[in-house]
């Protein structure tokens, strides 16, 4: 039985404990987006937060701790939300945590609800649902400094009296009110219990009677009690997650629920319209006479700036400029840092080479372990810079406006404006792009964005494009103009992924992620200077999460591919040649060294041919032959599945030039141009080059991206799906490109 909140799902402990005598307590932290919830969490917990995922879902589990007055308080940061109306399994996690029934989560002792003190009339909607849970609660009026700045008066003491809970004004960014809040949290866990909190009666009697009938019916048919709050959600959330889980056990309840809703509608209690009606009425009554605002609101510089930034024409122009700056930063600022990491990687490899004789163990350490660690850490500068930009834009309040501006464009493919930044970021690298989807609250939009993000032409594809274009595409002028054909081809391949992503996203939204589009509710927070501490904390958290979790999977993949390219094969002769080259007896630049280097290249190419990877290349030759490829291209493509750019070095090894060549190497271009099949025909021509580029443009050849996708979706299902659909798409695209291209050549 999986009735949400039933005992079969609980941890076996009570949802909310009574008065505590032990010194460790759990407090949930919840609030609307843009209320400073994360800032407050970080201000309370400092750098002690641990980030993970709840089992089976994509919801991030962020737990922090602090000690105060001899008590250790564990803070559980829940995702920002406007209401507790779960529409998906992910959204149900917050409800389960609050009810104390979420697996692998501590039963909570209470909850603190963060609201924007300048917008109490809207933010108290969520708090009214928190009160319905009957959990010990504290209301935090954050952004109190803005309240004072705007000459808004709030009678906090009277608000406490009317709500029956402690109300604490804070300014998390400035550290104001934190000690008072900590003190109230300790007091809450020491002195309050569930019995002290009686939910307000918001709904009419007819609704409460229907809810009790429903609880009795569910218990009668399933044998398990349905908690009070979930019975309320079951009635109110048509096609919601609560309804889905209950009906999974007993479909016959569907007609019973439908009859109850029909009966309620006849009693002027329509579902779901009754909920916002009664809750906002309660908010209005609660705040009546407590909040005083200046009668005349003067237009400030921020208001003027806001008009420009959300302007129909200038808004997108400014947004494009910001994106251009971010894009350039990810490319250019990260470059020196990435070069430094690669240099450090080379120095480490040289150090090991000096210590150890050539052999399998040395190859494992240099090519597998050091190469694996390097392949993880080298992405860190790009990720850190991207999240630096996102953190600054979020904390200053601009990110909400960017989503608002781009929403009109993105809704045409079924996504929201919040998808634009992750997709744009994926042009630099899909890994930070996928991680940036955490800013998308809607699960369906987030998953579709994750699945199409790898189609954007990331920087790793560029070496492949440059190698093939420079080697096989004539650099002629287009129609006698200054426009060169090579530039046109490069441009086409850079936008190819984005063009293909449009119908893919549309198709996913119409099929797998079909459903009613989530309403685009976006509250535009006030502009403010970003907090250095908040920005640093966010960059640190995301960078750490990437290295500690996704990094381990990327590292293991790299080691596996190394093993496939190394074994089997007798490396004795190659090791002897390496030993001679490193022995110091051969004069640098001498004919003897050239001869040994040539011998080394031939041996390395032969060993790769004999390896599991090489054998796999021969095995798939019948499959890739229709694309115009031979086994050597097949090996290059197989070796590049962990990382696209690997194909350049692999082709260098296959064509006896060594693995340290790059896309600008003239020898590699010459070898590719002169390569022949056994019948004397060239291996490469323009259709083959275009076929290879199309395959690389559309295929999911990046183990790191797939690992991060698995990490962000908390399931292997989505990386497997992405790999399958993109590889199929790439194969069909490459096949059509080659076959159509050959028609022109033959013609």
């Amino acid at each position: 039985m999986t009735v949400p909140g039933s005992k079969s799902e609980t941890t076996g402990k009570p949802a909310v404990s009574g008065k505590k005598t032990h010194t460790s307590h759990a407090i949930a932290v919840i609030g609307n987006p843009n209320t400073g919830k994360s800032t407050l969490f970080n201000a309370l917990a400092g750098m002690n937060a641990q980030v993970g995922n709840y089992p089976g879902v994509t919801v991030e589990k962020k737990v922090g701790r602090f000690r105060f007055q001899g008590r250790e308080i564990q803070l559980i940061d829940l995702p920002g939300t406007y209401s507790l109306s779960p529409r998906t399994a992910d959204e149900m996690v917050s409800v389960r945590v609050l009810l104390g029934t979420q697996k692998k989560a501590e039963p909570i002792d209470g909850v603190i609800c963060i609201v924007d003190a300048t917008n109490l009339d809207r933010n108290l909607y969520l708090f009214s649902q928190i009160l319905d849970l009957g959990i010990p609660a504290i209301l935090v009026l954050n952004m109190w400094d803005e309240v004072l700045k705007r000459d808004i008066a709030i009678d906090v003491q009277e608000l406490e009296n009317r709500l029956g809970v402690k109300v604490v004004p804070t300014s998390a960014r400035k550290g104001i009110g934190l000690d008072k809040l900590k003190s109230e949290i300790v007091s809450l866990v020491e002195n309050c219990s569930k019995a002290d909190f009686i939910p307000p009666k918001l709904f009419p009697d007819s609704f409460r009677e229907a809810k009790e009938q429903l609880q009795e019916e569910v218990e009668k048919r399933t044998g398990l009690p349905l908690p009070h709050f979930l019975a309320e959600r079951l009635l109110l959330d048509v096609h919601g997650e609560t309804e889905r889980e209950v009906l999974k056990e007993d479909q016959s309840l569907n007609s019973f629920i439908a009859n109850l809703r029909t009966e309620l509608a006849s009693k002027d209690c329509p579902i779901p319209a009754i909920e916002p009606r009664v809750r906002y009425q309660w908010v209005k009554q609660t705040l009546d006479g407590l909040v005083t605002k200046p009668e005349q609101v003067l237009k400030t510089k921020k208001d003027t700036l806001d008009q420009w930034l959300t302007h129909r024409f200038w808004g997108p122009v400014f947004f494009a400029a910001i994106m251009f700056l971010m894009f350039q930063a990810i490319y250019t600022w990260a470059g020196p840092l990435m070069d430094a990491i690669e240099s450090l990687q080379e120095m480490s490899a040289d150090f090991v080479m000096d210590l150890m004789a050539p052999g399998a163990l040395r190859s494992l350490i240099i090519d597998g372990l050091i190469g694996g660690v390097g392949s993880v850490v080298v992405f860190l500068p790009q990720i850190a810079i991207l999240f630096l930009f996102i953190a600054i834009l979020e904390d200053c309040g601009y990110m909400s406006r960017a989503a608002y501006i781009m929403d009109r464009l993105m809704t045409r493919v079924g996504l929201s404006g919040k998808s634009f930044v992750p997709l744009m970021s994926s042009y630099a690298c899909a890994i930070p792009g996928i991680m940036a989807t955490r800013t998308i609250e809607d699960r369906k939009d987030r998953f579709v964005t994750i699945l199409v993000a790898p189609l954007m032409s990331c920087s790793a594809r560029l070496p492949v494009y440059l190698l093939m274009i420079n080697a096989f595409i004539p650099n002629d002028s287009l129609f006698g103009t200054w426009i060169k054909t090579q530039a046109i081809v490069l441009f086409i391949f850079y936008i190819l992924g984005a063009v293909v992503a449009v119908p893919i996203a549309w198709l996913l939204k119409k099929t797998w992620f079909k459903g009613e589009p989530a309403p685009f509710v976006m509250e535009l927070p006030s502009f403010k200077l970003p907090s250095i501490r908040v920005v640093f904390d966010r960059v640190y958290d995301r960078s750490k999460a990437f290295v500690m979790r996704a990094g381990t999977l990327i590292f293991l993949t790299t080691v596996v591919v190394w093993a496939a390219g190394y074994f089997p094969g007798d490396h004795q002769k190659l090791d002897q040649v390496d030993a001679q080259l490193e022995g110091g007896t051969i004069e640098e630049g001498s004919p003897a060294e050239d001869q040994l280097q040539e011998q080394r290249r031939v041996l390395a190419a032969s060993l790769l041919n004999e390896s599991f990877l090489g054998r796999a290349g021969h095995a798939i030759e019948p499959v890739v032959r229709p694309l115009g490829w031979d086994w050597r291209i097949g090996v290059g493509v197989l070796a590049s599945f962990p990382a696209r750019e690997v194909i350049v070095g692999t082709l260098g090894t296959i064509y006896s030039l060594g693995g340290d060549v790059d896309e600008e190497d003239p020898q590699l271009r010459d070898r590719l141009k002169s390569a022949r099949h056994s019948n004397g025909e060239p291996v490469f021509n323009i259709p083959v080059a275009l076929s290879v580029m199309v395959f690389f443009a559309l295929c999911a050849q990046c183990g790191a991206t797939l690992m991060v996708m698995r990490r962000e979706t908390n399931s292997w299902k989505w990386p497997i799906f992405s790999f399958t659909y993109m590889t199929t798409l790439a194969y069909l695209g490459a096949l059509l490109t080659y076959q159509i291209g050959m028609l022109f050549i033959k013609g």
Side-chain angles (χ1 to χ4, degrees):
M1 177 66 188
T2 58
V3 172
S6 64
K7 289 183 179 178
S8 61
E9 290 191 321
T10 67
T11 55
K13 300 176 182 178
V16 179
S17 63
K19 294 182 180 180
K20 293 292 189 78
T21 56
H22 55 271
T23 58
S24 179
H25 308 271
I27 295 290
V29 182
I30 196 167
N32 288 8
N34 300 318
T35 56
K37 180 175 69 68
S38 297
T39 307
L40 184 68
F41 177 89
N42 290 333
L44 291 173
M47 303 295 290
N48 299 318
Q50 293 180 332
V51 182
N53 270 62
Y54 289 103
V57 293
T58 61
V59 179
E60 185 177 85
K61 179 183 180 183
K62 189 173 181 181
V63 178
R65 288 179 174 79
F66 72 86
R67 289 190 68 83
F68 195 76
Q69 296 176 351
R71 298 279 179 179
E72 182 175 295
I73 304 296
Q74 182 188 71
L75 296 174
I76 302 170
D77 189 20
L78 298 177
T81 180
Y82 290 101
S83 76
L84 285 178
S85 307
R87 288 175 290 125
T88 66
D90 285 5
E91 293 175 357
M92 180 61 92
V93 170
S94 295
V95 176
R96 290 189 197 281
V97 171
L98 292 170
L99 289 172
T101 59
Q102 175 60 39
K103 293 175 182 176
K104 297 190 177 179
E106 284 290 317
I108 61 168
D109 296 88
V111 57
I112 56 176
C113 181
I114 323 298
V115 299
D116 176 357
T118 64
N119 283 313
L120 276 183
D121 48 350
R122 286 203 295 275
N123 282 212
L124 284 185
Y125 184 97
L126 173 65
F127 189 66
S128 72
Q129 293 180 320
I130 296 292
L131 292 178
D132 274 358
L133 289 161
I135 300 173
I138 295 173
L139 178 66
V140 178
L141 306 184
N142 199 27
M143 302 184 185
W144 192 253
D145 53 331
E146 287 292 321
V147 169
L148 300 177
K149 194 183 295 182
R150 298 182 192 185
D151 292 329
I152 300 173
I154 301 175
D155 189 338
V156 176
Q157 185 57 55
E158 181 57 24
L159 185 59
E160 276 190 359
N161 295 337
R162 293 187 186 182
L163 293 175
V165 303
K166 287 293 179 183
V167 178
V168 183
T170 64
S171 177
R173 294 178 64 247
K174 298 183 177 179
I176 298 171
L178 297 184
D179 283 344
K180 169 71 173 169
L181 177 58
K182 288 179 180 178
S183 176
E184 292 297 349
I185 291 174
V186 170
S187 176
L188 184 84
V189 298
E190 285 181 344
N191 304 314
C192 299
S193 69
K194 188 176 180 181
D196 299 327
F197 288 81
I198 302 172
K201 294 181 179 179
L202 304 184
F203 291 91
D205 291 341
S206 56
F207 181 86
R208 291 199 296 274
E209 289 168 6
K211 185 179 68 177
E212 288 169 6
Q213 287 180 42
L214 185 58
Q215 284 181 286
E216 291 173 7
E217 196 65 21
V218 170
E219 184 168 359
K220 179 181 166 186
R221 298 195 192 191
T222 65
L224 291 169
L226 186 67
H228 148 82
F229 182 77
L230 290 178
E232 191 172 288
R233 300 305 345 150
L234 182 55
L235 262 183
L236 292 169
D237 301 337
V238 181
H239 305 311
E241 181 61 19
T242 313
E243 180 180 300
R244 216 165 6 252
E245 294 191 11
V246 170
L247 294 182
K248 211 183 287 179
E249 297 302 320
D250 192 337
Q251 280 291 329
S252 66
L253 279 167
N254 193 21
S255 58
F256 184 81
I257 297 169
N259 290 338
L260 282 180
R261 289 171 178 160
T262 304
E263 192 178 336
L264 284 171
S266 67
K267 297 177 180 176
D268 194 27
C269 188
I271 303 294
I274 185 66
E275 183 172 26
R277 186 200 299 173
V278 299
R279 291 198 187 281
Y280 280 120
Q281 187 179 4
W282 174 83
V283 171
K284 187 178 177 184
Q285 290 172 349
T286 302
L287 295 179
D288 186 34
L290 298 187
V291 180
T292 308
K293 295 183 179 180
E295 292 184 5
Q296 188 176 7
V297 179
L298 298 176
K299 188 175 182 180
T300 64
K301 291 180 180 177
K302 291 180 181 177
D303 296 328
T304 306
L305 179 63
D306 219 359
Q307 285 183 339
W308 283 101
L309 293 181
T310 54
H311 188 269
R312 191 179 184 86
F313 174 76
W314 293 112
V317 171
F318 186 80
F319 177 72
I322 290 283
M323 288 299 102
F324 178 78
L325 178 64
M326 186 174 79
F327 198 38
Q328 284 296 312
I330 292 172
Y331 257 126
T332 56
W333 297 0
L337 294 171
M338 296 173 81
D339 291 342
I341 291 170
E342 288 174 345
S343 297
L344 188 62
Q345 187 180 344
E346 289 174 9
M347 288 172 59
S348 303
D350 290 342
F351 178 74
V352 174
M353 285 176 67
D354 291 339
L355 286 181
M356 300 180 68
L361 181 58
R362 193 176 86 169
S363 178
L364 171 63
I365 294 174
I366 294 177
D367 301 325
L369 302 182
I370 295 177
V373 171
S375 68
V376 173
V377 180
V378 76
F379 289 114
L380 196 54
Q382 286 187 327
I383 288 173
I385 290 174
L386 171 68
F387 280 106
L388 174 67
F389 268 84
I390 290 179
I392 291 173
L393 294 176
E394 278 183 336
D395 204 47
C396 75
Y398 179 73
M399 192 59 88
S400 302
R401 288 154 178 88
Y404 167 76
I405 292 166
M406 296 310 301
D407 189 63
R408 182 175 299 176
L409 174 66
M410 300 305 292
T411 49
R412 295 181 181 178
V413 294
L415 298 175
S416 77
K418 290 189 174 182
S419 298
F420 190 83
V421 171
L423 292 179
M424 191 74 182
S425 306
S426 298
Y427 265 98
C429 177
I431 293 170
I434 289 173
M435 293 181 72
T437 61
R438 294 180 178 193
T439 58
I440 305 172
E441 287 95 1
D442 184 79
R443 179 182 179 273
K444 294 195 288 289
D445 284 0
R446 186 182 178 212
F447 271 53
V448 173
T449 306
I450 287 174
L451 291 174
V452 300
L455 284 169
M456 305 300 118
S457 274
C458 66
S459 55
R461 290 173 168 105
L462 186 60
V464 185
Y465 296 160
L466 292 178
L467 176 63
M468 292 295 153
I469 290 173
N470 290 334
F472 300 105
I473 305 299
N475 196 23
D476 299 332
S477 296
L478 191 65
F479 306 121
T481 65
W482 56 271
I483 303 173
K484 299 293 186 182
T485 51
Q486 288 188 343
I488 293 290
V489 172
L490 182 60
F491 174 74
I492 289 173
F493 276 94
Y494 248 92
I495 65 168
L496 177 64
V499 172
V500 172
V502 171
I504 296 293
W506 180 85
L507 194 63
L508 287 171
K509 289 290 287 188
K510 292 293 179 184
T511 54
W512 210 317
F513 296 95
K514 188 177 180 181
E516 294 180 12
F520 185 67
V521 179
M522 176 62 68
E523 191 169 337
L524 300 183
S526 302
F527 278 116
K528 59 180 183 290
L529 283 176
S531 160
I532 294 175
R533 179 176 178 178
V534 170
V535 169
F536 175 78
D537 285 350
R538 288 181 183 172
V539 173
Y540 175 79
D541 281 347
R542 297 309 174 210
S543 302
K544 181 182 172 186
F546 167 73
V547 173
M548 297 303 293
R549 290 196 299 278
T552 54
L553 296 171
I554 298 168
F555 171 74
L556 290 174
T557 303
T558 307
V559 173
V560 169
V561 172
W562 166 83
Y566 190 87
F567 297 107
D570 185 357
H571 290 252
Q572 193 173 357
K573 289 182 181 176
L574 181 63
D575 293 342
Q576 289 173 354
V577 172
D578 282 339
Q580 290 182 58
L581 286 168
E582 297 166 13
T585 57
I586 308 295
E587 186 179 349
E588 190 174 349
S590 66
E593 188 195 43
D594 292 342
Q595 187 178 0
L596 280 173
Q597 290 286 8
E598 180 61 24
Q599 187 180 352
R600 188 189 187 287
R601 288 191 284 266
V602 171
L603 287 169
S606 174
L607 285 168
L608 180 61
N609 184 27
E610 295 171 4
S611 70
F612 290 125
L613 199 61
R615 294 177 189 183
H618 284 287
I620 67 166
E621 189 169 13
V623 178
V624 299
R625 178 65 71 185
L627 312 183
W629 305 355
D630 71 346
W631 72 270
R632 286 169 287 193
I633 302 176
V635 169
V637 170
L638 284 178
S640 61
F641 269 99
R644 295 176 179 89
E645 59 272 33
V646 171
I647 189 174
V648 178
T650 306
L651 288 176
T653 301
I654 292 172
Y655 287 99
S656 304
L657 292 172
D660 53 353
V661 296
D662 60 28
E663 66 275 14
E664 302 292 341
D665 192 304
Q667 283 187 299
L668 179 58
R669 292 184 207 162
D670 291 340
R671 292 287 174 94
L672 295 181
K673 288 178 180 177
S674 60
R676 292 288 184 274
H677 290 294
S678 56
N679 60 6
E681 291 185 359
V683 172
F684 288 92
N685 55 23
I686 292 178
V688 171
L690 292 175
S691 169
V692 171
M693 284 191 286
V694 167
F695 190 88
F696 274 76
L698 302 179
C699 191
Q701 291 166 292
C702 183
T705 297
L706 296 173
M707 296 306 169
V708 171
M709 193 180 291
R710 188 265 168 212
R711 157 76 184 87
E712 293 299 307
T713 61
N714 203 22
S715 167
W716 282 108
K717 173 182 173 182
W718 299 111
I720 291 172
F721 172 76
S722 181
F723 177 81
T724 305
Y725 100 78
M726 286 185 67
T727 304
T728 305
L729 197 65
Y731 184 88
L732 294 175
L735 176 67
L736 287 173
T737 302
Y738 173 73
Q739 296 297 338
I740 294 173
M742 289 304 293
L743 292 178
F744 285 97
I745 286 184
K746 290 174 182 176

